[in-house]
Amino acid sequence: MSTFYRENDAYFVRTHGPDGAPRDYRIAYTFGVHPLQQYLIEFPDGKLQAFSIAWDSREKSEGGQRWFHLHPDEPIAYGDELHWSGINYNWNFMCADCHSTGLQKNFSLATQKYNTEWAEIHVGCEACHGPGSRHLNWAQNPDLSLGNKGLSVSYSKRRQAVWAMDTESGIATLKEPVETQREIETCAQCHARRAASFPGAQAGDPFLDHFNPALLQEDLYHADGQINGEVFVYGSFLQSRMYAAGVTCSNCHNPHSLRLNAEGNGVCTQCHLPAKFDTSEHHFHPAGSTGAQCVNCHMPAKTYMQVDARRDHSFRKPRPDLSDKLGTPNACSGCHRDMPVAWAAEVLKEHFGSPKERHFGEAIYAGRHGLPGAEDQLVALILDTSQPAIARATATSLLTRYLSPASLQLLQTIAQSDEPLLNLGIAQSLESVSPQLRPSLAIPLLYSDHRVIAAMAANSLSGLVTRDYPPAVQNQFNRAMKDYLESETFNADRPESLSNLAALHAQRGNRKQAEAFYRRALTVAPFYTPAYVNLADVYRTEGREREAEILLRQALDKVRARSPVEHALGLSLVRQKRLSDALPHLRRAAEGQPGSPRYIYVYAIALNDSGNPQQAIAVLEQGLKRFPGNREILGGLVALLRSQGNLSLAEQYQEQLN
């Protein structure tokens, strides 16, 4: 129970704090964007925490003018990773960078305190246009010779765009290219799912010099690129034909009024001939109906934070034919919920014919799930330059799971190319590449013009022997490694960065420092699974196996992602020669969701070693149904079947490996 109240001119809330005890907290600030208002509570260490009860600022007729909890269906107790007093509701890190102007986070690793400062607590002019003093001078004296009205960063070049309507297709095309990337990348600084790797980003700065954007990751995007988690537009827009055609954000949105440039379908008919597209012959719904609105078919919405409906900016054609194949949603079934997907697919086929092109989502789905032919599909997608770069980059990141001589050569070529998103795809997946092969991909990326990419490449090499590299490579490595350390130190208020710093110390043999950083990560986030698993591994290297076991057992009571902990605990017990104790933990890891083929393989080998080869084979066969084509599971089946004399079945699985 939480109670808001007012005392004189101050506002308070009485609620349960970080220790579970009820206290009175003063509301320091109100922030948010319609339809969501949130409230900030200041702690003595400089933290500003966003309270998890918010105000719905919509009109009452729309269901608003009410308090609501951001997690209404979950009991969030103190200590939970979603409790308002914890790191995931910390405004200094989670919100401030995009909801204020001129932010300086100013977190001190030494004192564990914030001294966060800002020019404006909301989004002001300088967030998009940079320092405004020259613009003020121009405003006071417009006759001054100050180009672009004195704005430090201007986007006026996009106004030079000349669009011509192609009456045959009904779609406008850009007569000559104009510069739009500066605008798009400035908007992306906030309207992207990204990590802020380096502070000090200014309007107009190259995006990858400061930010590490998410590609089409499984937890954020459906396989076909539709939104799932909160992704904030940029990754969706990069997939779109609009982006490829030269459309930019302000073609549709007025950044000053925060309104669309036209009402209803008018924003779309700026470029799409209404006589062709805003008709019942195209959308086959009654004029003026919900189904006749372009956005409802081409920009389906998903609601986040209970009240905030956000539209998918990939501007896709509805593809119900993919829903059964890939498990993806589609706009047709989103409205016609009483009709099967096959019906929706047939209706579209009747009106528009069968889809002419293979969707990139099929390759990404195959790559995510280890389907037969996944490597070939990913390679084909990467080589198809007509596909969105972000989809090709995602395929690049997935291809590292399927390295063969041919695919390795392709990735080496990409690493030496000037395709930033594809370079990023490699950089983000280097840790999954074997140490023997990693330098051939990472070293070229050390020379990237983009600071984020080079820093990740350096980190992937940090545990390898670099002293034998040529001096020029060592210089690039040292420069990029310095950047990586700066990035992780900047973000050392988070358990991810603390664990990364711990890993660096562990690689350098500084085990006490590694333990201290992992312990700090667990103090900040007692639910953070990787810190437990990696600290246990530090204990393993020191022969402290019993301490590793104790730590991992403690973790099981605190983490949500239990499978990695169960797996690590099982391996610890195996090393202690307690195989019968290990098997239940290895089984739970293997059966966990979303699952790991590695955990299944290890559990099967443990079963075989315990004298249960038939059960081990059964586990691998079930695992192959979950992860078709997985080479480790197939290899395990071949080996175990041969050892049991079942050469015929072993040969069948061997053929799948070849």
Side-chain angles (χ1 to χ4, degrees), residues 392-587:
R392 297 171 59 224
T394 303
T396 299
S397 69
L398 291 168
L399 189 60
T400 57
R401 304 179 188 179
Y402 304 94
L403 284 184
S404 66
S407 58
L408 177 62
Q409 186 176 13
L410 173 61
L411 291 177
Q412 288 172 330
T413 301
I414 293 169
Q416 297 172 46
S417 72
D418 186 23
E419 293 191 83
L421 279 180
L422 273 67
N423 293 161
L424 181 71
I426 296 176
Q428 290 183 351
S429 57
L430 282 168
E431 295 298 327
S432 65
V433 178
S434 69
Q436 294 81 9
L437 300 176
R438 197 179 303 162
S440 66
L441 301 177
I443 288 175
L445 297 181
L446 294 175
Y447 291 82
S448 172
D449 292 333
H450 301 283
R451 197 177 178 194
V452 168
I453 293 172
M456 283 193 289
N459 176 53
S460 75
L461 295 169
S462 61
L464 308 179
V465 177
T466 58
R467 61 176 177 268
D468 296 330
Y469 294 165
V473 173
Q474 290 190 37
N475 288 339
Q476 291 295 121
F477 170 78
N478 291 335
R479 175 190 59 79
M481 196 67 217
K482 182 180 177 182
D483 279 346
Y484 180 78
L485 284 168
E486 179 185 330
S487 172
E488 298 305 323
T489 303
F490 168 65
N491 286 317
D493 48 341
R494 292 290 301 182
E496 299 89 348
S497 288
L498 289 165
S499 294
N500 289 339
L501 291 168
L504 285 173
H505 281 295
Q507 289 164 358
R508 295 170 179 177
N510 304 326
R511 294 192 183 120
K512 286 186 177 180
Q513 290 93 329
E515 181 175 358
F517 273 102
Y518 282 130
R519 287 289 180 188
R520 179 62 203 164
L522 292 174
T523 300
V524 170
F527 50 79
Y528 187 60
T529 298
Y532 287 107
V533 173
N534 292 328
L535 177 55
D537 198 54
V538 170
Y539 289 162
R540 175 192 63 79
T541 61
E542 294 183 327
R544 299 160 64 185
E545 201 66 74
R546 179 61 180 154
E547 290 179 67
E549 177 191 347
I550 293 170
L551 175 72
L552 293 168
R553 290 191 186 279
Q554 292 171 347
L556 288 175
D557 295 328
K558 297 178 180 178
V559 303
R560 291 195 183 196
R562 293 171 62 96
S563 291
V565 178
E566 296 276 18
H567 181 71
L569 179 55
L571 291 179
S572 176
L573 293 168
V574 168
R575 289 191 292 270
Q576 295 178 61
K577 304 189 185 307
R578 295 160 58 190
L579 184 56
S580 60
D581 292 339
L583 284 172
H585 297 287
L586 295 175
R587 175 181 57 79

